[in-house]
Amino acid sequence: MKTIVIMGRGGTGKTSFVSLIADYFIRTQQTPLLLVDLDPDQSLGEMIGIDLRTEGKKTIAELLEETFIEKGGTTIGIPPSKRIEHKIWEEGMYEGEKLDFIAIGTKWVEGCYCMPDAALRDALSRLIKQYRYVIIDAPGGLEHLNRRVAVKVDDIIDVLGPSAKSFAHLERAKRVAEESGVIYSRFLSVGGFLFPENLTERAKNIPDVKYLGKIAYDQAVAEKTISGDPVFGLDPTNPGPVSVMNILTVAGYMINEQKS
């Protein structure tokens, strides 16, 4: 079992990257997968074709609001995260044939994401053992990483955008991970589809961060993103899937395509 955290500033193509990774793992039968959406925008579900509401499921933020605000539940005594853990499994998780999916959701009440993050962290610690890969789509902000939603991960991959701010974000993310006690094996980076080629050498020379390559611009991915259709099932010879396959090969995740 491996846990992969994908992060980066908004607009870098991070969620498309997560979706294409999952599509590749499914195509090459590297399942079961668990996809976790930590982004309040909740765009990952759309890109993989899963609508939690339609499926009769709720986000973690909705479960917490329902339990502790609408019903007036107290947060005194048993930790709130433990009190709703069974709800995350029963009411919050979409279970598919080849992948499962949970989302932290949008928190509409005042305060930080501390309680949703704690609930997710405790649930994940018990869930992840049954999956081949757990892929976490983390937002541009570093608050979830700072609160150690995943205490131990294999790879943290930062998707770089077309500006110097992406390099600053990567450096902050690495520092936050180290100072908050997140245990990881590798810190990696990839160039988003807008990442300029003239910054490749800079990306390759970041200390202790391996650069895996660039996500290719793919018109089919762009059209599906605009239309709100899932990116699953694209022709594997398209530029987007090919570039992601190459990135995963460099990262060491490649397997024989004949298994697909």
Side-chain angles (χ1 to χ4, degrees), residues 37-44 105-106:
D37 189 358
L38 288 184
D39 198 324
D41 288 340
Q42 300 182 68
S43 56
L44 179 57
T106 304

Side-chain angles (χ1 to χ4, degrees), residues 120-164:
L120 179 57
R121 181 183 63 240
D122 291 348
L124 280 179
S125 67
R126 294 167 179 80
L127 281 172
I128 59 176
K129 295 178 182 179
Q130 60 184 298
Y131 297 98
R132 184 159 182 176
Y133 291 107
V134 176
I135 309 173
I136 300 175
D137 182 359
L142 304 176
E143 64 272 13
H144 301 293
L145 184 62
N146 193 34
R147 286 193 289 276
R148 299 196 301 169
V149 167
V151 178
K152 184 177 181 180
V153 303
D154 292 279
D155 291 335
I156 300 175
I157 306 178
D158 197 296
V159 181
L160 299 169
S163 72

Side-chain angles (χ1 to χ4, degrees), residues 66-249:
E66 178 184 275
T67 303
F68 297 106
I69 297 176
E70 293 178 4
K71 294 182 180 179
T74 178
T75 59
I76 299 173
I78 300 174
S81 58
K82 292 189 179 298
R83 204 172 310 168
I84 73 156
E85 189 172 310
H86 71 284
K87 290 190 175 184
I88 293 175
W89 297 340
E90 296 170 6
E91 302 177 39
M93 176 175 288
Y94 165 84
E95 296 180 85
E97 182 180 347
K98 297 179 179 179
L99 70 80
D100 295 345
F101 175 61
I102 53 178
I104 201 162
T106 304
K107 184 179 65 60
W108 300 107
V109 297
E110 184 179 358
C112 74
Y113 269 89
C114 300
M115 195 183 294
D117 282 343
L120 179 57
R121 181 183 63 240
D122 291 348
L124 280 179
S125 67
R126 294 167 179 80
L127 281 172
I128 59 176
K129 295 178 182 179
Q130 60 184 298
Y131 297 98
R132 184 159 182 176
Y133 291 107
V134 176
I135 309 173
I136 300 175
D137 182 359
L142 304 176
E143 64 272 13
H144 301 293
L145 184 62
N146 193 34
R147 286 193 289 276
R148 299 196 301 169
V149 167
V151 178
K152 184 177 181 180
V153 303
D154 292 279
D155 291 335
I156 300 175
I157 306 178
D158 197 296
V159 181
L160 299 169
S163 72
K165 291 182 179 179
S166 280
F167 290 96
H169 178 274
L170 186 154
E171 291 169 1
R172 285 198 306 273
K174 192 169 185 296
R175 181 175 177 180
V176 167
E178 292 167 352
E179 292 185 352
S180 62
V182 175
I183 301 171
Y184 63 88
S185 297
R186 300 186 298 179
F187 208 108
L188 310 166
S189 70
V190 302
F193 67 94
L194 292 175
F195 186 68
E197 294 291 347
N198 62 2
L199 291 179
T200 299
E201 285 304 312
R202 179 176 177 181
K204 288 181 177 180
N205 290 319
I206 299 174
D208 302 318
V209 179
K210 183 176 182 178
Y211 179 70
L212 301 176
K214 178 179 174 177
I215 306 165
Y217 175 77
D218 191 323
Q219 183 64 29
V221 173
E223 291 174 356
K224 287 183 175 293
T225 301
I226 292 171
S227 64
D229 294 325
V231 301
F232 275 10
L234 286 178
D235 186 333
T237 64
N238 274 20
V242 168
S243 66
V244 169
M245 182 184 69
N246 291 337
I247 287 168
L248 293 174
T249 300

